[in-house]
Amino acid sequence: MAGAGLEEFRRRWREELAQREGPAKRRLPAGPEWDERRRRRQRGNGEGPAGAAREPEPVSQWGICGAVRAAPEGAPAQPAPAATGYFELAKSLLEGGECPLASPAPWTAGESSCSGRGRDSEVSQVPEAPQPENTGGDRLLEQLIRDLNEINEIPFFDIQLPYELALKIFQYLGRTELGRCAQVSRMWKVLAEDEVLWYRLCQQEGYLPDTSISDCSCWKLVFQESRAKEHTLRTNWKNRNGAVSQLQYEFGNVLCDVHSCDGVVIAGYTSGDVRLWDTRTWDFTAPILEPMHGAAEPGSQPHVSFVRINNSLAVAAYEDGTVNVWSLMIGRDPVHCYQHNLKIQALALSLEGATIATASGSEVRVECPNDKGYWETAAHFEIQKLVNFLHLIPDTGRHPVAVAATEDVVYLLKAENPSRVLHSVYGQPVTCLDVSSKEAAFGVKSLGWMNEGNKILLYSLQTSQCLTTLGSSLGDFTCVNLRNSPPHLLVTGNKDRRVRVYDLRSSTSSCSLYAHQLGVSAVQMDDWKIVSGGEEGLVCVWDQRMGNKLWEMHARHPVRHIWFNTHSLITANIPDEKSPRGASILDDDLTAHRRHRGIIYAYEFSMDQLALESILPICRSSYDEVAGYNYNIGLAVPYDNI
């Protein structure tokens, strides 16, 4: 709607409102422009200046530019339809209809136009339409006045754009550009602070992803608060400000395997016990998940070989080939259990859902519940060699797909198709493996006289073709992380004590860090930091862009598990020797063998942690504890008995 047309519409609206409250007779529009139009109509009808003034035409007979629509020649004048007025026009506007002042009307033959010669044609006398009843009420009037006062045209240099079109253009701008545009003019400020724009920015940055646009009244303020919180968390990460806690281990038992998902940690011990911690509450306890081995004597349960956990399930595999599955929503008793004849070599659990894959000997078995909730074997594969690595591909729906790596062959296992060889080169064993929803990355070791160096191969799971070859190092690649890495990046750890970040678009190394003394055993990265663990027990946090080490933490055993998100970090030092020589697990003196059992650390970097909680639990022990390895930070020397 043009500016002049909008003002004319408002004036005529106020005039009709005044007419409804005043005399029943309509007043003629005033102004020089309307006087000129009346003189033209009088001349066209043969009336002089002294002629009698006609009654104004009803609303339904007005054209786009204020002219009166003429009836066709020879046709009788048609009366205007009843109940036609500005209240009906307002209702149509509120319901999403087009305004007749904004859109051109279809002109027929004989009708007059604002710019044609039809202005001098004769105008038929049409009786005035009856005034509509006041059915809209005050609510309709207030809503229409508010809509008329809104800005519906935005100046873009030398043109005027509708508000919706200008908003569409502004959706391609970032937060910095929106801030600059808000300083141009008042209209641009209103447009740049529109809730739709800032809601989209919050969703793109990952702030409050499960909310709708109606949940908050000011999304720009939400965005600013989220950015400030993110900046505080990054500062705490860099300066190691936060709370650190040691997850209490099982007394007298050695840690076998650790896994975590969204702050929930699962650990298996040589006693056969499986424990859970929820580090998100920070006052967590460690419940023990009951196995399904039957009534057995204490200490006769087999060791735990592997543990895995996701948002709904916890899985543990034992040395005797037993696999127990617990539901995190039900309780401590297993919901499913099955048995392999041989020792389990690998265990995999889907990130979401309830799909489990286990490898024992040359057998790979995939278990998942059916439509009725009963667990069943979804697929069974026979592989010629022992499986060393096993992963389930995420986001595959009801048909699970697994990737298994043996000594020098990588298989793609689908439930509806037989096993397919993804990669096979004799004399080049696979040293590490990781998969995403579309790709698989694994390290290969070169042997023989044609040693081209150890490399990382990236394969497409859709086409089974090699996409790129990364690196050429003398040491073996011991770990690779593709699933948790940012897009187009991949991080690896090597026995040559270096952590390397590769750009998948250029197939080159973008960052190389000299990290550890005995090789890298675990690694993970995000958009700005890298966390690596070594065989010597050192955990290092790096700034990826600067390439420098922020801080480190040392423990006795190799780092086998690393997981972190924006505000927390979980590391696990797992000993290689499960039964150390000269150490009796049944000894009552726990001080002598604490160094053999492994340790789990949980770091919390959120800003709502107290300063006291940043002290290790071993330094926060109370005076009523009699264990010899406990210390109190208020004492100068350790105590044995108080």
Side-chain angles (χ1 to χ4, degrees):
M1 183 183 299
L6 179 60
E7 292 299 328
E8 179 65 22
F9 182 81
R10 288 177 176 173
R11 191 190 62 78
R12 290 162 57 188
W13 169 257
R14 296 191 187 97
E15 180 180 335
E16 182 171 340
L17 291 179
Q19 179 182 355
R20 293 175 59 84
E21 297 176 358
K25 184 178 180 180
R26 284 190 55 191
R27 293 178 298 176
L28 290 175
E33 180 182 354
W34 291 98
D35 294 341
E36 178 66 24
R37 291 185 180 181
R38 280 195 294 271
R39 286 194 294 270
R40 290 181 181 178
R41 295 191 188 111
Q42 291 173 358
R43 289 195 299 267
N45 294 334
E47 300 176 2
R54 294 179 302 158
E55 288 292 324
E57 292 78 12
V59 175
S60 58
Q61 299 299 320
W62 285 91
I64 294 181
C65 299
V68 180
R69 299 183 183 179
E73 295 182 0
Q78 299 293 334
T84 302
Y86 284 100
F87 275 105
E88 296 296 330
L89 177 61
K91 286 183 180 180
S92 64
L93 288 175
L94 292 178
E95 293 174 358
E98 291 187 356
C99 176
L101 298 178
S103 58
W107 298 96
T108 57
E111 292 184 342
S112 60
S113 173
C114 296
S115 58
R117 59 181 179 272
R119 292 184 178 180
D120 299 332
S121 61
E122 295 185 357
V123 181
S124 62
Q125 300 291 335
V126 182
E128 182 178 350
Q131 297 294 335
E133 298 181 358
N134 188 8
T135 58
D138 296 336
R139 183 192 61 82
L140 183 61
L141 175 61
E142 294 174 359
Q143 179 67 30
L144 183 59
I145 294 299
R146 285 197 300 266
D147 293 343
L148 291 177
N149 289 332
E150 288 183 356
I151 298 176
N152 54 6
E153 288 188 353
I154 305 297
F156 267 79
F157 305 102
D158 57 343
I159 60 175
Q160 300 283 336
L161 291 182
Y163 188 89
E164 292 77 8
L165 182 57
L167 186 65
K168 185 68 174 178
I169 296 176
F170 272 48
Q171 288 180 358
Y172 295 95
L173 303 180
R175 58 179 184 273
T176 305
E177 291 79 7
L178 288 178
R180 294 172 180 173
C181 291
Q183 304 176 14
V184 174
S185 63
R186 292 183 179 180
M187 293 185 178
W188 278 40
K189 178 179 176 59
V190 173
L191 183 63
E193 294 182 354
D194 193 275
E195 297 298 325
V196 176
L197 300 178
W198 292 100
Y199 173 74
R200 289 172 60 91
L201 285 178
C202 289
Q203 297 297 308
Q204 292 174 2
E205 296 290 338
Y207 305 141
L208 304 178
D210 299 329
T211 58
S212 61
I213 192 172
S214 60
D215 293 339
C216 298
S217 58
C218 183
W219 280 101
K220 182 178 180 180
L221 181 60
V222 172
F223 186 85
Q224 292 174 348
E225 293 176 351
S226 301
R227 291 282 299 178
K229 184 178 180 181
E230 182 181 1
H231 177 72
T232 303
L233 287 175
R234 180 172 298 192
T235 303
N236 293 342
W237 265 96
K238 292 182 178 181
N239 300 326
R240 198 168 59 178
N241 297 331
V244 55
S245 179
Q246 173 186 325
L247 303 186
Q248 184 63 45
Y249 50 83
E250 181 69 18
F251 290 102
N253 299 304
V254 179
L255 189 62
C256 294
D257 194 22
V258 176
H259 195 251
S260 60
C261 176
D262 292 338
V264 181
V265 184
I266 183 173
Y269 296 88
T270 54
S271 62
D273 294 333
V274 179
R275 285 182 173 264
L276 283 179
W277 292 270
D278 190 354
T279 62
R280 297 170 295 184
T281 60
W282 203 248
D283 54 350
F284 44 79
T285 58
I288 300 178
L289 300 179
E290 300 294 338
M292 195 180 289
H293 289 292
E297 298 180 359
S300 62
Q301 297 180 3
H303 295 181
V304 177
S305 300
F306 303 97
V307 290
R308 295 293 184 269
I309 191 173
N310 62 8
N311 295 326
S312 59
L313 293 180
V315 185
Y318 299 85
E319 284 191 342
D320 61 349
T322 304
V323 179
N324 287 332
V325 183
W326 295 271
S327 174
L328 301 181
M329 307 299 177
I330 297 179
R332 300 183 179 182
D333 296 328
V335 297
H336 181 54
C337 179
Y338 63 96
Q339 182 77 34
H340 282 277
N341 296 327
L342 301 177
K343 180 180 177 180
I344 296 178
Q345 304 292 334
L347 171 66
L349 177 64
S350 59
L351 294 179
E352 296 180 358
T355 304
I356 304 168
T358 53
S360 176
S362 60
E363 176 188 13
V364 177
R365 186 173 175 179
V366 180
E367 296 274 332
C368 64
N370 56 17
D371 297 337
K372 297 182 179 180
Y374 296 101
W375 285 83
E376 62 183 8
T377 302
H380 186 274
F381 305 95
E382 290 291 338
I383 299 178
Q384 301 300 325
K385 299 180 181 180
L386 295 179
V387 176
N388 298 326
F389 305 98
L390 181 64
H391 288 275
L392 285 171
I393 300 176
D395 304 330
T396 56
R398 299 182 57 184
H399 303 285
V401 180
V403 177
T406 61
E407 183 178 354
D408 52 8
V409 183
V410 179
Y411 295 93
L412 182 62
L413 308 177
K414 295 185 178 181
E416 66 276 6
N417 296 327
S419 59
R420 183 174 60 185
V421 176
L422 191 65
H423 169 80
S424 177
V425 176
Y426 181 77
Q428 293 187 359
V430 179
T431 57
C432 57
L433 173 67
D434 194 22
V435 298
S436 64
S437 59
K438 297 181 180 180
E439 299 168 337
F442 50 89
V444 294
K445 181 180 180 180
S446 298
L447 300 175
W449 61 275
M450 294 184 60
N451 191 349
E452 299 178 355
N454 304 317
K455 300 180 180 181
I456 293 288
L457 302 181
L458 184 67
Y459 272 76
S460 173
L461 298 177
Q462 283 81 10
T463 61
S464 300
Q465 300 294 325
C466 182
L467 300 178
T468 183
T469 301
L470 307 173
S472 179
S473 64
L474 297 178
D476 300 342
F477 286 98
T478 55
C479 54
V480 58
N481 196 316
L482 174 65
R483 181 178 304 176
N484 300 320
S485 299
H488 309 295
L489 293 179
L490 180 144
V491 60
T492 63
N494 201 292
K495 278 188 177 181
D496 61 0
R497 301 169 287 184
R498 286 189 174 274
V499 174
R500 294 179 175 88
V501 179
Y502 291 97
D503 191 341
L504 303 182
R505 294 166 293 186
S506 59
S507 302
T508 58
S509 175
S510 60
C511 182
S512 180
L513 307 172
Y514 185 83
H516 304 274
Q517 299 177 359
L518 298 178
V520 184
S521 56
V523 68
Q524 184 180 340
M525 70 174 296
D526 62 3
D527 56 345
W528 71 273
K529 64 179 177 293
I530 302 172
V531 181
S532 61
E535 295 285 346
E536 74 282 359
L538 192 66
V539 176
C540 300
V541 180
W542 307 80
D543 191 326
Q544 174 193 347
R545 299 175 182 176
M546 300 298 296
N548 59 338
K549 184 186 296 184
L550 300 176
W551 52 273
E552 63 183 24
M553 180 69 72
H554 184 268
R556 183 179 297 272
H557 302 288
V559 181
R560 299 301 182 191
H561 176 73
I562 288 178
W563 176 90
F564 68 84
N565 57 10
T566 57
H567 59 84
S568 61
L569 168 66
I570 296 173
T571 63
N573 298 78
I574 302 175
D576 293 332
E577 185 64 37
K578 300 301 186 282
S579 299
R581 292 177 294 177
S584 176
I585 298 300
L586 301 179
D587 280 347
D588 295 332
D589 185 10
L590 302 179
T591 307
H593 312 300
R594 176 178 177 270
R595 61 182 181 271
H596 298 299
R597 298 191 181 109
I599 192 171
I600 305 173
Y601 282 115
Y603 304 82
E604 182 65 34
F605 300 98
S606 59
M607 52 189 174
D608 55 353
Q609 295 296 327
L610 300 178
L612 179 62
E613 295 180 343
S614 61
I615 304 174
L616 286 174
I618 194 175
C619 300
R620 286 190 273 119
S621 57
S622 60
Y623 291 95
D624 56 353
E625 298 181 3
V626 297
Y629 54 83
N630 283 327
Y631 296 79
N632 192 291
I633 198 171
L635 301 178
V637 294
Y639 64 93
D640 293 328
N641 295 284
I642 295 181

